[in-house]
Amino acid sequence: MSEQSDRLREQAFQAERLSQTISDHRASQTLKSIAAQYHAQADELERCKGSRSNPFVSQQRDEHPE
C-alpha cells in the first residue's frame, strides 16, 4: 500500500468508528458513505499503482529485444 492509500483508509476507519457513536441516523449514514468513498479511493490508488509498474515495463522489454 502507498502512504496516500494508507491515509485514506485511516480516514475511512475514523469515519466508520464515528458513525457508530452517534445517534443521528442521517449523520451516521453520511459518515458510512464517506468511509466507503475513502475505501474506494484507496482501492483505486492501489489498482493504478499496480497496473503502472510491472506489466508496462515487461511489455516494453518484449517489444524491443536487445
Side-chain angles (χ1 to χ4, degrees):
M1 278 193 256
S2 72
E3 189 175 322
Q4 191 173 11
S5 66
D6 288 343
R7 278 191 243 126
L8 286 167
R9 293 214 190 277
E10 181 56 37
Q11 292 295 318
F13 293 132
Q14 288 178 10
E16 289 166 345
R17 284 191 297 266
L18 184 57
S19 76
Q20 295 170 0
T21 65
I22 58 177
S23 59
D24 183 307
H25 180 70
R26 178 180 276 168
S28 178
Q29 289 301 102
T30 299
L31 286 166
K32 288 177 184 178
S33 176
I34 290 168
Q37 290 173 14
Y38 281 138
H39 279 300
Q41 289 174 0
D43 290 345
E44 184 63 24
L45 278 173
E46 292 168 6
R47 230 183 337 269
C48 288
K49 186 174 181 174
S51 67
R52 280 192 221 151
S53 58
N54 294 336
F56 182 70
V57 171
S58 63
Q59 182 182 14
Q60 281 185 331
R61 287 184 187 151
D62 291 343
E63 290 175 359
H64 303 288
E66 294 179 27

